[in-house]
mmCIF file of all heavy atoms in Angstrom:
data_model
loop_
_atom_site.group_PDB
_atom_site.id
_atom_site.type_symbol
_atom_site.label_atom_id
_atom_site.label_comp_id
_atom_site.label_asym_id
_atom_site.label_seq_id
_atom_site.Cartn_x
_atom_site.Cartn_y
_atom_site.Cartn_z
ATOM 1 N N ALA A 1387 0.879 -1.287 -0.020
ATOM 2 C CA ALA A 1387 -0.010 0.086 0.002
ATOM 3 C C ALA A 1387 0.863 1.274 -0.023
ATOM 4 O O ALA A 1387 1.996 1.286 0.470
ATOM 5 C CB ALA A 1387 -0.870 0.031 1.226
ATOM 6 N N ARG A 1388 0.263 2.245 -0.584
ATOM 7 C CA ARG A 1388 0.890 3.608 -0.515
ATOM 8 C C ARG A 1388 0.428 4.387 0.705
ATOM 9 O O ARG A 1388 -0.881 4.511 0.830
ATOM 10 C CB ARG A 1388 0.669 4.348 -1.781
ATOM 11 C CG ARG A 1388 1.136 3.803 -3.065
ATOM 12 C CD ARG A 1388 0.363 4.379 -4.321
ATOM 13 N NE ARG A 1388 -0.881 4.019 -4.448
ATOM 14 C CZ ARG A 1388 -1.897 4.704 -5.108
ATOM 15 N NH1 ARG A 1388 -1.577 5.825 -5.692
ATOM 16 N NH2 ARG A 1388 -3.155 4.109 -5.129
ATOM 17 N N VAL A 1389 1.280 4.712 1.525
ATOM 18 C CA VAL A 1389 0.815 5.263 2.863
ATOM 19 C C VAL A 1389 1.633 6.543 3.231
ATOM 20 O O VAL A 1389 2.941 6.494 3.197
ATOM 21 C CB VAL A 1389 1.067 4.230 3.989
ATOM 22 C CG1 VAL A 1389 0.505 4.760 5.332
ATOM 23 C CG2 VAL A 1389 0.444 2.973 3.671
ATOM 24 N N ASP A 1390 0.837 7.625 3.625
ATOM 25 C CA ASP A 1390 1.586 8.794 4.277
ATOM 26 C C ASP A 1390 1.112 8.866 5.736
ATOM 27 O O ASP A 1390 -0.114 8.406 5.974
ATOM 28 C CB ASP A 1390 1.157 10.023 3.536
ATOM 29 C CG ASP A 1390 1.822 10.070 2.229
ATOM 30 O OD1 ASP A 1390 3.158 9.639 2.083
ATOM 31 O OD2 ASP A 1390 1.182 10.610 1.148
ATOM 32 N N THR A 1391 1.657 9.489 6.626
ATOM 33 C CA THR A 1391 1.279 9.685 7.967
ATOM 34 C C THR A 1391 1.335 11.128 8.259
ATOM 35 O O THR A 1391 2.211 11.937 7.844
ATOM 36 C CB THR A 1391 2.147 8.862 8.933
ATOM 37 O OG1 THR A 1391 3.528 9.393 8.884
ATOM 38 C CG2 THR A 1391 2.060 7.365 8.671
ATOM 39 N N VAL A 1392 0.476 11.600 9.140
ATOM 40 C CA VAL A 1392 0.360 13.033 9.685
ATOM 41 C C VAL A 1392 0.085 13.028 11.068
ATOM 42 O O VAL A 1392 -1.080 12.679 11.455
ATOM 43 C CB VAL A 1392 -0.601 13.790 8.836
ATOM 44 C CG1 VAL A 1392 -0.691 15.202 9.393
ATOM 45 C CG2 VAL A 1392 -0.477 13.805 7.409
ATOM 46 N N PRO A 1393 1.002 13.426 12.028
ATOM 47 C CA PRO A 1393 0.581 13.463 13.408
ATOM 48 C C PRO A 1393 -0.161 14.839 13.594
ATOM 49 O O PRO A 1393 0.318 15.835 13.226
ATOM 50 C CB PRO A 1393 2.095 13.579 14.064
ATOM 51 C CG PRO A 1393 2.979 13.076 12.941
ATOM 52 C CD PRO A 1393 2.427 13.385 11.744
ATOM 53 N N ALA A 1394 -1.357 14.623 14.188
ATOM 54 C CA ALA A 1394 -2.143 15.919 14.404
ATOM 55 C C ALA A 1394 -3.100 15.555 15.560
ATOM 56 O O ALA A 1394 -3.568 14.341 15.662
ATOM 57 C CB ALA A 1394 -2.865 16.314 13.175
ATOM 58 N N ASP A 1395 -3.686 16.586 16.205
ATOM 59 C CA ASP A 1395 -4.520 16.347 17.322
ATOM 60 C C ASP A 1395 -5.858 17.019 16.959
ATOM 61 O O ASP A 1395 -5.977 18.181 16.650
ATOM 62 C CB ASP A 1395 -3.985 17.044 18.578
ATOM 63 C CG ASP A 1395 -4.800 16.738 19.789
ATOM 64 O OD1 ASP A 1395 -5.936 16.250 19.761
ATOM 65 O OD2 ASP A 1395 -4.393 17.246 20.922
ATOM 66 N N VAL A 1396 -6.964 16.233 16.933
ATOM 67 C CA VAL A 1396 -8.287 16.752 16.527
ATOM 68 C C VAL A 1396 -8.791 17.716 17.617
ATOM 69 O O VAL A 1396 -9.749 18.473 17.230
ATOM 70 C CB VAL A 1396 -9.413 15.594 16.271
ATOM 71 C CG1 VAL A 1396 -8.844 14.704 15.194
ATOM 72 C CG2 VAL A 1396 -9.524 14.714 17.605
ATOM 73 N N ALA A 1397 -8.298 17.719 18.841
ATOM 74 C CA ALA A 1397 -8.733 18.703 19.729
ATOM 75 C C ALA A 1397 -8.109 19.901 19.592
ATOM 76 O O ALA A 1397 -8.438 20.897 20.285
ATOM 77 C CB ALA A 1397 -8.437 18.039 21.190
ATOM 78 N N ASP A 1398 -7.240 20.113 18.566
ATOM 79 C CA ASP A 1398 -6.622 21.448 18.344
ATOM 80 C C ASP A 1398 -6.982 21.816 16.940
ATOM 81 O O ASP A 1398 -6.126 21.445 15.936
ATOM 82 C CB ASP A 1398 -5.080 21.279 18.500
ATOM 83 C CG ASP A 1398 -4.370 22.562 18.016
ATOM 84 O OD1 ASP A 1398 -5.005 23.560 17.853
ATOM 85 O OD2 ASP A 1398 -3.089 22.392 17.911
ATOM 86 N N PRO A 1399 -8.100 22.416 16.694
ATOM 87 C CA PRO A 1399 -8.607 22.634 15.222
ATOM 88 C C PRO A 1399 -7.635 23.455 14.509
ATOM 89 O O PRO A 1399 -7.479 23.182 13.195
ATOM 90 C CB PRO A 1399 -9.897 23.469 15.519
ATOM 91 C CG PRO A 1399 -10.445 22.987 16.837
ATOM 92 C CD PRO A 1399 -9.189 22.811 17.742
ATOM 93 N N ALA A 1400 -6.988 24.379 14.991
ATOM 94 C CA ALA A 1400 -6.084 25.228 14.240
ATOM 95 C C ALA A 1400 -4.830 24.497 13.807
ATOM 96 O O ALA A 1400 -4.373 24.515 12.647
ATOM 97 C CB ALA A 1400 -5.589 26.504 15.084
ATOM 98 N N GLY A 1401 -4.222 23.723 14.705
ATOM 99 C CA GLY A 1401 -3.180 22.786 14.422
ATOM 100 C C GLY A 1401 -3.452 21.717 13.526
ATOM 101 O O GLY A 1401 -2.644 21.358 12.673
ATOM 102 N N LEU A 1402 -4.707 21.235 13.564
ATOM 103 C CA LEU A 1402 -5.153 20.137 12.603
ATOM 104 C C LEU A 1402 -5.238 20.821 11.315
ATOM 105 O O LEU A 1402 -4.770 20.007 10.320
ATOM 106 C CB LEU A 1402 -6.647 19.669 13.148
ATOM 107 C CG LEU A 1402 -7.149 18.488 12.474
ATOM 108 C CD1 LEU A 1402 -6.459 17.287 12.671
ATOM 109 C CD2 LEU A 1402 -8.598 18.398 12.821
ATOM 110 N N ALA A 1403 -5.785 21.930 11.067
ATOM 111 C CA ALA A 1403 -6.042 22.442 9.791
ATOM 112 C C ALA A 1403 -4.727 22.767 9.134
ATOM 113 O O ALA A 1403 -4.456 22.543 7.960
ATOM 114 C CB ALA A 1403 -6.764 23.780 10.004
ATOM 115 N N THR A 1404 -3.688 23.137 9.946
ATOM 116 C CA THR A 1404 -2.318 23.288 9.452
ATOM 117 C C THR A 1404 -1.679 22.142 8.967
ATOM 118 O O THR A 1404 -1.098 21.971 7.900
ATOM 119 C CB THR A 1404 -1.480 24.051 10.368
ATOM 120 O OG1 THR A 1404 -2.057 25.401 10.735
ATOM 121 C CG2 THR A 1404 -0.071 24.258 9.894
ATOM 122 N N ALA A 1405 -1.746 21.197 9.765
ATOM 123 C CA ALA A 1405 -1.124 19.852 9.592
ATOM 124 C C ALA A 1405 -1.711 19.108 8.385
ATOM 125 O O ALA A 1405 -1.013 18.454 7.605
ATOM 126 C CB ALA A 1405 -1.214 18.882 10.810
ATOM 127 N N LEU A 1406 -3.045 19.268 8.291
ATOM 128 C CA LEU A 1406 -3.726 18.497 7.234
ATOM 129 C C LEU A 1406 -3.897 19.346 5.850
ATOM 130 O O LEU A 1406 -4.467 18.813 4.886
ATOM 131 C CB LEU A 1406 -5.198 18.017 7.622
ATOM 132 C CG LEU A 1406 -5.213 17.086 8.663
ATOM 133 C CD1 LEU A 1406 -6.562 16.743 9.114
ATOM 134 C CD2 LEU A 1406 -4.468 15.711 8.192
ATOM 135 N N ALA A 1407 -3.354 20.599 5.746
ATOM 136 C CA ALA A 1407 -3.531 21.476 4.544
ATOM 137 C C ALA A 1407 -3.158 20.773 3.337
ATOM 138 O O ALA A 1407 -3.776 20.723 2.413
ATOM 139 C CB ALA A 1407 -2.841 22.871 4.751
ATOM 140 N N PRO A 1408 -1.859 20.140 3.239
ATOM 141 C CA PRO A 1408 -1.505 19.473 2.047
ATOM 142 C C PRO A 1408 -2.386 18.244 1.779
ATOM 143 O O PRO A 1408 -2.542 18.036 0.455
ATOM 144 C CB PRO A 1408 -0.141 18.920 2.295
ATOM 145 C CG PRO A 1408 0.461 19.818 3.531
ATOM 146 C CD PRO A 1408 -0.848 20.104 4.353
ATOM 147 N N VAL A 1409 -3.081 17.711 2.722
ATOM 148 C CA VAL A 1409 -3.951 16.475 2.426
ATOM 149 C C VAL A 1409 -5.229 16.921 1.945
ATOM 150 O O VAL A 1409 -5.763 16.377 0.866
ATOM 151 C CB VAL A 1409 -4.083 15.689 3.716
ATOM 152 C CG1 VAL A 1409 -4.855 14.477 3.399
ATOM 153 C CG2 VAL A 1409 -2.786 15.342 4.468
ATOM 154 N N VAL A 1410 -5.738 18.124 2.469
ATOM 155 C CA VAL A 1410 -6.908 18.663 1.992
ATOM 156 C C VAL A 1410 -6.784 19.074 0.511
ATOM 157 O O VAL A 1410 -7.676 18.815 -0.386
ATOM 158 C CB VAL A 1410 -7.288 19.884 2.841
ATOM 159 C CG1 VAL A 1410 -8.587 20.632 2.109
ATOM 160 C CG2 VAL A 1410 -7.702 19.408 4.165
ATOM 161 N N ALA A 1411 -5.630 19.684 0.212
ATOM 162 C CA ALA A 1411 -5.367 20.117 -1.205
ATOM 163 C C ALA A 1411 -5.231 18.963 -2.075
ATOM 164 O O ALA A 1411 -5.470 19.080 -3.423
ATOM 165 C CB ALA A 1411 -4.028 20.792 -1.199
ATOM 166 N N ALA A 1412 -4.970 17.804 -1.601
ATOM 167 C CA ALA A 1412 -5.019 16.567 -2.507
ATOM 168 C C ALA A 1412 -6.324 15.972 -2.875
ATOM 169 O O ALA A 1412 -6.423 15.059 -3.790
ATOM 170 C CB ALA A 1412 -4.094 15.398 -1.806
ATOM 171 N N ARG A 1413 -7.360 16.559 -2.263
ATOM 172 C CA ARG A 1413 -8.690 16.242 -2.586
ATOM 173 C C ARG A 1413 -9.178 14.789 -2.489
ATOM 174 O O ARG A 1413 -9.583 14.149 -3.405
ATOM 175 C CB ARG A 1413 -9.157 16.861 -3.980
ATOM 176 C CG ARG A 1413 -8.961 18.271 -4.089
ATOM 177 C CD ARG A 1413 -9.098 18.875 -5.589
ATOM 178 N NE ARG A 1413 -10.458 18.703 -5.894
ATOM 179 C CZ ARG A 1413 -11.317 19.678 -5.634
ATOM 180 N NH1 ARG A 1413 -11.163 20.742 -5.037
ATOM 181 N NH2 ARG A 1413 -12.619 19.426 -6.200
ATOM 182 N N PRO A 1414 -8.889 14.201 -1.397
ATOM 183 C CA PRO A 1414 -9.325 12.686 -1.171
ATOM 184 C C PRO A 1414 -10.755 12.379 -1.253
ATOM 185 O O PRO A 1414 -11.596 13.399 -0.870
ATOM 186 C CB PRO A 1414 -8.796 12.357 0.180
ATOM 187 C CG PRO A 1414 -8.765 13.661 0.872
ATOM 188 C CD PRO A 1414 -8.408 14.634 -0.056
ATOM 189 N N ALA A 1415 -11.139 11.394 -1.822
ATOM 190 C CA ALA A 1415 -12.581 11.055 -2.021
ATOM 191 C C ALA A 1415 -13.222 10.421 -0.790
ATOM 192 O O ALA A 1415 -14.439 10.448 -0.644
ATOM 193 C CB ALA A 1415 -12.813 10.136 -3.191
ATOM 194 N N VAL A 1416 -12.329 9.887 0.017
ATOM 195 C CA VAL A 1416 -12.943 9.245 1.353
ATOM 196 C C VAL A 1416 -12.182 9.772 2.485
ATOM 197 O O VAL A 1416 -10.907 9.807 2.550
ATOM 198 C CB VAL A 1416 -12.589 7.668 1.261
ATOM 199 C CG1 VAL A 1416 -13.164 6.952 2.463
ATOM 200 C CG2 VAL A 1416 -13.419 7.091 -0.020
ATOM 201 N N VAL A 1417 -12.927 10.053 3.452
ATOM 202 C CA VAL A 1417 -12.388 10.562 4.753
ATOM 203 C C VAL A 1417 -13.219 9.807 5.925
ATOM 204 O O VAL A 1417 -14.417 9.821 5.992
ATOM 205 C CB VAL A 1417 -12.488 12.003 5.043
ATOM 206 C CG1 VAL A 1417 -11.977 12.441 6.541
ATOM 207 C CG2 VAL A 1417 -11.720 12.781 3.927
ATOM 208 N N VAL A 1418 -12.498 9.209 6.749
ATOM 209 C CA VAL A 1418 -12.962 8.414 7.997
ATOM 210 C C VAL A 1418 -12.525 9.085 9.229
ATOM 211 O O VAL A 1418 -11.375 9.128 9.397
ATOM 212 C CB VAL A 1418 -12.553 6.898 7.862
ATOM 213 C CG1 VAL A 1418 -13.228 6.183 9.168
ATOM 214 C CG2 VAL A 1418 -13.041 6.345 6.601
#
């Protein structure tokens, strides 16, 4: 499998948004 990892804390919305910005930009079709 092709796998990337991103450490981030969902209880910190601002930090979460920063950490996930490149992933959001990749436009994934499935989010769990």
Side-chain angles (χ1 to χ4, degrees):
R1388 295 163 292 157
V1389 183
D1390 290 320
T1391 61
V1392 180
D1395 185 354
V1396 297
D1398 174 14
L1402 183 73
T1404 299
L1406 291 180
V1409 187
V1410 172
R1413 302 173 66 86
V1416 179
V1417 176
V1418 179

